[in-house]
Amino acid sequence: MTIRITGTGSALPEKIVTNFDLQELVDTSDEWIQKRTGIAQRRVSTGETVSTLAAKACQKALEMSGKTVEEVELILVATCSPELLLPCCACQVQDSIGASNAVAFDLNAACAGFLFGLNTAYAYLQSGIYKNALIVGSEVLSKLVDWNDRGTCILFGDGAGAAFVEAAEADIVCENGRRAGLECIVQGSDGAKGMVLSCVERTLNSAFFSGNKIENLFIQMDGQEVYKFATKQVPACIQQALDKSGMTVNDVDWFLLHQANVRIIESVAKHLKADIAKFPMNIHDVGNMSSATIPVLLDACCRSGKIKKGDRIVLSGFGAGLTYGASVLVW
Ligand code: ACO
């Protein structure tokens, strides 16, 4: 038994904010941002929410899979920026798409969230508890960003991506002889380094809280520490996943990495001695959307025909927590 992704979908806010727009807000330049990050523009919510974007992405993924909403058994939303603490975003999505037979809950593994969601679904589906799942990464990070902080506000964007996964027999052979489905997962966490990328919860107990008043409620990041973590841990965990599945870098057609920064992706390709042409990117147009980056990219690659049946893909996510992981699958 394995799992296969049979549908993908994505949804982005209408508003485009370019680097030139940001020059009006903070002391920065298009040149600096493009050179250090690879980002030229991002989408920013003017009203779209984590749940409305997620629901749209789910509807598209379901449409591609040919399944009905009534058939959905599990909805997992990975987010670190839900509009409500209660109820969870997955339940809002369940309600808005009408998937009344599904079990729905959120998980938060920041930028690795979609990957951790996929791996969680893998465990549920492989054990036979559920037969299918909608996995979503959805974020509105624009509300967690300090628009006066040029070190962070240039990086992030809003959006949602979804994948519909189904339990499948492990013996579906593609034309190129590969067996379709998820081959292996590797994931890890390093809580000891968690504070290099953090955002403080806004709701303090108003009656009894006696600690120090928290001044900064926005995303805070030690960019260089995040960079070091990503460029060391990501190639290592991808290599570990390839070793575990008995594959080499040459057996992989596409590496779909969390879109944090072009320089991180280039460094990972170099460490792995893999051709950078195998690393599709969309960060130039949409920025870093945390848990949404991988499914939005996957959806684009799938709909454009870049990813074909039988292609072997490595998905790798990494981010706050710190969390990281890699999954190997044949499309
Ligand atoms: N525009 C112009 N100048 C800037 C900007 C900006 N937007 N931001 C910082 N600077 C300045 C700094 O003030 C500093 O000036 P100084 O030398 O006068 O003090 C100078 O540029 C260098 O600053 P650094 O922080 O050292 O810049 P660095 O080269 O490290 O680049 C960056 C910053 C792009 C964030 C880099 O550290 C990085 O890529 N880190 C990875 C973090 C990341 O990708 N995070 C995404 C979220 S986490 C995730 O998704 C996994």
Side-chain angles (χ1 to χ4, degrees):
M1 181 67 77
T2 182
I3 65 169
R4 290 184 58 220
I5 297 176
T6 57
T8 60
S10 53
L12 299 174
E14 293 277 310
K15 185 168 178 62
I16 295 172
V17 174
T18 66
N19 293 344
F20 296 101
D21 296 327
L22 292 182
Q23 285 179 202
E24 306 294 316
L25 290 181
V26 288
D27 180 13
T28 190
S29 68
D30 176 58
E31 192 196 351
W32 193 97
I33 301 172
Q34 293 234 30
K35 197 165 155 219
R36 304 281 179 124
T37 69
I39 300 168
Q41 60 179 45
R42 67 288 293 144
R43 299 296 183 100
V44 173
S45 163
T46 52
E48 298 93 341
T49 66
V50 169
S51 66
T52 57
L53 292 167
K56 274 191 192 158
C58 283
Q59 278 160 338
K60 290 180 188 166
L62 267 183
E63 205 178 290
M64 188 190 286
S65 75
K67 286 284 184 301
T68 62
V69 279
E70 291 78 20
E71 290 174 277
V72 178
E73 297 191 1
L74 175 66
I75 302 173
L76 289 179
V77 176
T79 184
C80 56
S81 55
E83 67 256 33
L84 299 175
L85 288 180
L86 304 170
C88 70
C89 180
C91 285
Q92 291 178 284
V93 171
Q94 175 193 26
D95 180 42
S96 86
I97 67 173
S100 50
N101 298 317
V103 170
F105 62 91
D106 290 1
L107 59 83
N108 177 358
C111 306
F114 175 79
L115 192 81
F116 280 29
L118 182 69
N119 296 343
T120 304
Y122 180 51
Y124 271 116
L125 270 52
Q126 224 191 12
S127 66
I129 295 175
Y130 302 117
K131 291 194 290 297
N132 65 52
L134 269 170
I135 328 279
V136 195
S138 185
E139 306 287 1
V140 174
L141 297 168
S142 54
K143 68 189 176 199
L144 301 183
V145 158
D146 178 355
W147 290 98
N148 296 310
D149 175 14
R150 67 178 181 172
T152 52
C153 75
I154 56 147
L155 296 171
F156 299 103
D158 302 335
F164 187 67
V165 297
E166 298 182 58
E169 294 307 323
D171 56 2
I172 302 173
V173 182
C174 306
E175 271 179 23
N176 60 6
R178 292 175 179 164
R179 288 171 193 276
L182 190 61
E183 295 184 323
C184 125
I185 61 173
V186 165
Q187 49 188 16
S189 306
D190 184 359
K193 298 208 183 85
M195 293 315 280
V196 303
L197 180 53
S198 64
C199 186
V200 173
E201 175 49 61
R202 278 119 219 273
T203 48
L204 294 176
N205 153 3
S206 61
F208 301 104
F209 181 74
S210 62
N212 294 330
K213 189 166 169 283
I214 295 160
E215 301 292 345
N216 190 338
L217 296 175
F218 297 104
I219 289 177
Q220 295 182 69
M221 179 181 74
D222 181 336
Q224 288 177 8
E225 283 303 314
V226 173
Y227 188 87
K228 274 191 247 164
F229 149 70
T231 51
K232 184 168 165 237
Q233 203 67 66
V234 177
C237 82
I238 291 176
Q239 192 58 58
Q240 204 186 336
L242 290 175
D243 292 347
K244 204 171 156 186
S245 52
M247 301 294 154
T248 69
V249 163
N250 294 334
D251 297 312
V252 178
D253 298 292
W254 305 110
F255 294 85
L256 269 66
L257 268 53
H258 166 54
Q259 305 282 295
N261 186 313
V262 168
R263 290 187 306 148
I264 292 177
I265 298 171
E266 286 171 347
S267 167
V268 172
K270 202 167 151 200
H271 268 83
L272 291 169
K273 297 190 175 63
D275 184 352
I276 190 71
K278 287 184 174 182
F279 292 69
M281 294 186 220
N282 62 356
I283 187 169
H284 186 263
D285 295 326
V286 289
N288 177 347
M289 300 180 293
S290 191
S291 68
T293 62
I294 294 177
V296 169
L297 183 61
L298 185 64
D299 185 45
C301 291
C302 187
R303 286 178 192 268
S304 68
K306 190 184 262 286
I307 292 179
K308 298 187 177 57
K309 267 198 175 22
D311 283 356
R312 181 170 284 108
I313 303 166
V314 168
L315 304 177
S316 180
F318 49 94
L322 299 170
T323 51
Y324 54 91
S327 301
V328 184
L329 57 97
V330 171
W331 197 249

